[in-house]
Amino acid sequence: MGRKIANIQLSEEYEGVLRKEQRSFMTGNEVVAWAALAAKADFMYGYPITPQNEIMHYWARLAPHFGRGFLQTEDEMSAGFAMLGGALVGKKTFSATAGPGNVLMQEPISMAEMMRIPGVWIIQQRGGPSTATVIYSQQELRLTTTGGNGEGLRIVYSTASHQELFEYTIKAFNTAWQYRFPTFVLGDGYQAKMREAVTLFRPEARGWRLIPAEPILRPPGVPARDRDPVHLRNTFNIEEELYDRLVDQLAAYDRMTAEVIEWEAEVSPETELLLVAHGIVARAAKQAQENLNRQGKKVGYFRPITVRPFPGSALRQAVAANPNLRLLVVESAHGQLLALVKAELYGFTNPLDSLLRPGVGITAEEIEEAVTQHGQKEAVS
Amino acid sequence: MRESGRMVIREPLVNENMPLSWRKETKPHRFCPGCGHGIALKALGEVVDELGILDQVLYGCDIGCSLLSWDFFNFDSIQTHHGRTIPVIVGAKRARPETVGIAYMGDGGGYAIGAQHLVNAAQRGEQITAILANNTLYAMTGGQMAPTTLPGQKTGTSPYGREVTKTGLPLQGPELVAAIAPEGSYVARATVGEYQQLKKYLKKALDNQIAGRGFSFVEVLSTCPTNWRTNAKQTWAFLQGEMARHFKVGEFRAAETIPAGEER
C-alpha cells in the first residue's frame, strides 16, 4: 500500500504507547487516529475539512509505519466511494468529515446502506447550515442518522469525551464489520480540537476481539471455476424486487438494534425533572444534574449513546418511572434531538421543555439556569 | 426467467465465439439491438481471456446503460453510482494493488457528473483502467444532451440541435486526459467500428496497468440507434462519419511516445 517508508524504531515506539496503556494528553482528532490504528484499520480515504483535518494528519503520519494506507481524494464523494471499494475487497476503511463534507458523503453512504458495505465515518460536527462555522455544533445529528435517499440503516455513536472517542472508534469498526451497516462516530469541533487526558490501549490486551474484514469481492478462488463470480447490483427493475431487499435489510437492522443500542440513565421514581442530551452537551447536563441534586432538586439524566438506532425503550422506561416527570431536552441544534425524543415518547403526556442553542456550546450553568427558570415559570402559571 | 422481467423468447445463446470470460447464463445481453456496448464488452472479454487475468479483475460499472453489464462477465463486478465508478475502483486498487481494476462508464458519467474523478485519477496516475463509451448522449434516461453531443445534434434537451455558443463544443476526453496524465499513462480513443484496433487498445490499456506503469484510459466511440432514432445504415453512417470527424481515433499517450491524435 504505497511507498515503503516504514521506520521500525518509530513503529515500535508507537506500538509501545498502546502496549503500555499510556496515559496521554492530546486532541480528539489525534485520539481518533490512534483508535483507528489500534482497531487495525487498513486504509483512510479523506478530504480536508475543518474541524477533522488532524485525523488525516495524524493517520498519514502513523500509517506508513504499520503498512496502512492513506489517500487524499478530490472530494468527499470520492473518499466515500473509495472507502467502499477498499471494503469490498476486504480491507477496513474509514474516513472523517464534517458539515458540507458530510452532505457530500451521504451519496456513498447510501450505497453502503443499500449494498451492506461496511465502513466507519468520523463526523466532527461544525456549525450549519452551509459553510457556517468551522467550530462546533450538534446540527449534523439528523444528517448523520438519516441522511441519504433511504431509511437510515446506520449505527451512530455520539461520544462525549476523548476516552469515548478512542473506545467507540474501535467499537465502530467492530460494529460495521459485524453487521455490515455504515457506522459513525459522531463527535464535534470541541471534541476534535480540545486536549484532554485519555488512556490509549491495545484492544486485544483488554480482551476485545477485533472482527476481521472479509473480502466481498475478489474472495479466494478463480471465478466461474472455483466459485461463482460475485455480481453486486444496486439497481432494480421492479418495485417488488427492491421491496423484498428492503424488507430483509430492515429485519436485519431490527435484529441488530437490541445488540447495539447504548445509553446512560440516572433516574428513579423520585426524579422530577429528566435532562436529555447527547454528545458533549450530555457532559454539561451531567454536571448540571449533579449540581442541582446537591441543591436538593430531584433531577435525573438520560443520554443516548447510540443516537441511531435510538434507545427508545430505555427512554420510555425512564419516563414511565414517574408519571409526573418533566423532561428538558438540551442540544446545540434547533430541535434535532428533540424530534427523536418526541417520536420515541409518542403517547406519553409528560411535560416536555427544551433548551435549543443551534451551533453554540452549552454549559452546565446555562442548563441549571434553564431548570431554575423552568421552575419559576411553573410557579407563575 | 430473466431478472429484467422481460418475457423469455428463446434459450440463452451459447456461442462458440463467446469469450470465456463472458457469463453465458446472462446472454443474450440486455442492451438494445444495435447498441455498441456489446461490441466494446466483447472486446474487453476477449482481452481478459488473452491476458489470463480473470481471477484478478474487479469490474465496476457506472449508472447509465453501462449498469446493464453488472452480470455480463465471469469476473467479480459491482454497480456503483452515476459518475462514481472510478473512485470505487481506485479505492479497491489502492487497498489491494494486485487487483486489475476496470471502471466502465458512459460519457455522462465520465465527462459530466464524474469529471472530477476522471481528472484527478488521471492526474494522480491511479493504476486503474477506465473505459468510457461515447455515444454522444445520455441513453438510459431517454437521450439528453451530453458533453459529447455534436454541434447541431438534436437530443431531448437540445430539441433544436446543440448550439455551441450556448452549450459548447463536444468534450475531447482523451485529449484532456492526455494533457494532464503523468508519464506512464496510456490514453486512446477507439471505435466499435474498428474491432481489431479496439481490442488492441484495450489490451494495451490493461497491459499498462498490469505492468504498473500508470493510469489507462480508453474512450470507445459507440452507437445508440434507440436514441439517435436511426436504422442500421444511418447508425453506421453517424458513427463512421459525423462522430469520426469530431472525435479523432488513435493513441494519445502510450509507453512509446506517439504524437497526439495520430492514428495507428
Side-chain angles (χ1 to χ4, degrees):
Chain A
M1 284 177 219
R3 205 156 50 90
K4 286 212 175 8
I5 54 162
N7 177 326
I8 303 290
Q9 201 184 338
L10 211 52
S11 65
E12 278 173 5
E13 192 183 310
Y14 291 142
E15 284 277 19
V17 171
L18 295 173
R19 202 168 44 240
K20 284 182 296 196
E21 301 232 340
Q22 190 165 305
R23 191 78 173 150
S24 308
F25 188 69
M26 53 174 65
T27 66
N29 282 340
E30 196 173 357
V31 169
V32 169
W34 279 100
L37 188 71
K40 300 217 166 7
D42 293 298
F43 219 110
M44 179 184 192
Y45 306 86
Y47 184 80
I49 190 166
T50 309
Q52 66 75 35
N53 296 310
E54 295 82 8
I55 298 177
M56 296 192 301
H57 299 177
Y58 289 116
W59 177 262
R61 205 181 295 171
L62 292 169
H65 306 295
F66 296 88
R68 322 286 177 87
F70 172 72
L71 177 66
Q72 182 172 327
T73 56
E74 58 275 17
D75 57 34
E76 287 85 354
M77 293 181 289
S78 183
F81 281 104
M83 278 178 67
L84 305 187
L88 283 164
V89 294
K91 299 295 178 184
K92 286 192 182 176
T93 59
F94 74 107
S95 191
T97 189
N102 193 2
V103 173
L104 292 180
M105 198 59 96
Q106 294 303 316
E107 192 195 331
I109 292 162
S110 79
M111 179 165 142
E113 270 184 41
M114 169 55 96
M115 305 181 88
R116 303 285 302 274
I117 305 169
V120 169
W121 283 265
I122 314 297
I123 308 297
Q124 302 288 35
Q125 298 170 91
R126 54 186 272 162
S130 181
T131 316
T133 73
V134 298
I135 305 166
Y136 162 83
S137 88
Q138 293 189 313
Q139 294 171 287
E140 294 172 50
L141 176 65
R142 189 180 287 129
L143 179 65
T144 307
T145 52
T146 52
N149 58 332
E151 305 300 335
L153 302 181
R154 306 129 180 239
I155 301 101
V156 184
Y157 296 107
S158 175
T159 57
S161 70
H162 283 23
Q163 197 60 46
E164 285 192 355
L165 268 182
F166 185 73
E167 296 182 14
Y168 280 101
T169 299
I170 295 169
K171 187 177 254 185
F173 281 97
N174 268 2
T175 303
W177 266 266
Q178 182 174 348
Y179 298 105
R180 287 178 55 169
F181 287 113
T183 304
F184 298 79
V185 175
L186 184 64
D188 56 62
Y190 289 172
Q191 295 184 67
K193 296 284 191 178
M194 73 180 176
R195 285 177 195 274
E196 181 167 89
V198 58
T199 302
L200 307 175
F201 58 86
R202 283 178 64 245
E204 300 92 329
R206 293 202 178 177
W208 296 15
R209 195 174 77 84
L210 296 179
I211 308 277
E214 306 286 349
I216 300 167
L217 292 172
R218 298 205 63 235
V222 178
R225 193 190 74 190
D226 310 328
R227 60 172 174 83
D228 282 339
V230 186
H231 293 144
L232 302 180
R233 62 196 292 217
N234 63 38
T235 317
F236 301 95
N237 296 315
I238 55 173
E239 291 165 37
E240 286 74 11
E241 243 179 326
L242 169 65
Y243 182 71
D244 290 347
R245 169 78 74 108
L246 289 176
V247 165
D248 287 349
Q249 298 196 351
L250 289 161
Y253 190 80
D254 283 346
R255 278 195 304 276
M256 173 205 71
T257 294
E259 294 170 29
V260 301
I261 48 168
E262 290 188 41
W263 69 92
E264 284 178 356
E266 282 185 35
V267 64
S268 73
E270 286 75 47
T271 305
E272 291 171 0
L273 178 79
L274 187 69
L275 298 175
V276 183
H278 79 97
I280 201 159
V281 175
R283 259 168 97 167
K286 186 87 188 63
Q287 183 66 54
Q289 182 219 5
E290 286 167 11
N291 293 347
L292 290 162
N293 283 348
R294 270 198 293 276
Q295 295 165 27
K297 294 196 169 65
K298 289 166 181 159
V299 177
Y301 159 87
F302 186 89
R303 169 198 171 203
I305 297 173
T306 48
V307 284
R308 177 116 185 122
F310 199 87
S313 52
L315 177 63
R316 285 188 292 277
Q317 209 179 335
V319 174
N322 174 0
N324 299 317
L325 185 78
R326 307 179 68 91
L327 290 99
L328 178 64
V329 178
V330 186
E331 59 176 317
S332 295
H334 195 70
Q336 300 193 17
L337 175 64
L338 182 64
L340 294 177
V341 168
K342 280 182 176 172
E344 296 294 349
L345 294 182
Y346 178 75
F348 282 76
T349 53
N350 302 62
L352 190 149
D353 212 341
S354 57
L355 174 60
L356 310 177
R357 289 169 60 79
V360 182
I362 301 173
T363 63
E365 291 74 15
E366 286 164 332
I367 298 172
E368 287 165 44
E369 200 184 314
V371 169
T372 313
Q373 281 177 350
H374 180 86
Q376 285 168 348
K377 200 166 62 186
E378 189 193 37
V380 171
S381 61
Chain B
M1 191 67 182
R2 289 264 296 277
E3 277 189 85
S4 64
R6 275 188 275 157
M7 217 159 61
V8 175
I9 53 167
R10 58 182 172 185
E11 288 301 305
L13 278 174
V14 179
N15 180 321
E16 290 310 307
N17 295 324
M18 279 187 190
L20 290 172
S21 59
W22 272 33
R23 187 141 186 90
K24 294 182 176 59
E25 292 85 338
T26 59
K27 304 296 169 297
H29 60 60
R30 295 180 171 82
F31 299 104
C32 299
C35 172
H37 274 303
I39 300 170
L41 296 175
K42 178 178 180 181
L44 178 61
E46 286 186 348
V47 167
V48 169
D49 282 0
E50 286 169 22
L51 293 169
I53 53 170
L54 183 72
D55 58 334
Q56 283 170 273
V57 170
L58 176 62
Y59 175 84
C61 55
D62 219 69
I63 301 302
C65 292
S66 60
L67 77 85
L68 297 171
S69 66
W70 98 91
D71 63 351
F72 193 96
F73 292 107
N74 272 329
F75 35 78
D76 291 355
S77 71
I78 178 145
Q79 264 176 1
T80 72
H81 280 193
H82 187 37
R84 314 292 175 228
T85 306
I86 284 177
V88 171
I89 298 301
V90 163
K93 177 75 180 188
R94 288 266 179 169
R96 278 179 64 186
E98 84 285 4
T99 300
V100 176
I102 301 173
Y104 188 75
M105 70 207 76
D107 37 9
Y111 294 154
I113 195 167
Q116 76 274 40
H117 308 311
L118 175 64
V119 164
N120 284 280
Q123 184 272 330
R124 290 195 301 261
E126 294 288 351
Q127 309 257 334
I128 66 162
T129 299
I131 304 168
L132 183 149
N134 170 3
N135 61 5
T136 74
L137 43 70
Y138 288 78
M140 177 62 91
T141 45
Q144 293 82 14
M145 185 175 71
T148 47
T149 298
L150 302 187
Q153 187 180 347
K154 287 179 181 172
T155 71
T157 50
S158 60
Y160 308 108
R162 182 175 189 172
E163 284 183 75
V164 296
T165 53
K166 290 180 181 166
T167 57
L169 287 160
L171 186 95
Q172 302 292 314
E175 289 83 347
L176 177 138
V177 173
I180 59 169
E183 193 68 29
S185 303
Y186 179 81
V187 183
R189 182 184 283 117
T191 168
V192 296
E194 294 287 342
Y195 187 75
Q196 290 308 324
Q197 183 194 53
L198 165 65
K199 248 187 86 174
K200 186 174 82 180
Y201 289 176
L202 290 177
K203 196 170 184 177
K204 287 171 91 166
L206 286 172
D207 248 340
N208 200 55
Q209 178 182 174
I210 294 162
R213 281 194 289 267
F215 186 68
S216 313
F217 179 66
V218 180
E219 180 188 292
V220 182
L221 300 182
S222 185
T223 52
C224 184
T226 303
N227 286 293
W228 292 352
R229 292 165 170 77
T230 48
N231 63 23
K233 202 173 167 184
Q234 293 162 334
T235 302
W236 187 252
F238 189 75
L239 172 73
Q240 299 289 69
E242 287 178 68
M243 278 179 80
R245 273 196 292 282
H246 281 91
F247 302 114
K248 201 160 175 54
V249 170
E251 288 175 307
F252 296 81
R253 290 284 294 276
E256 42 321 2
T257 310
I258 296 149
E262 186 182 297
E263 199 165 341
R264 291 159 59 96

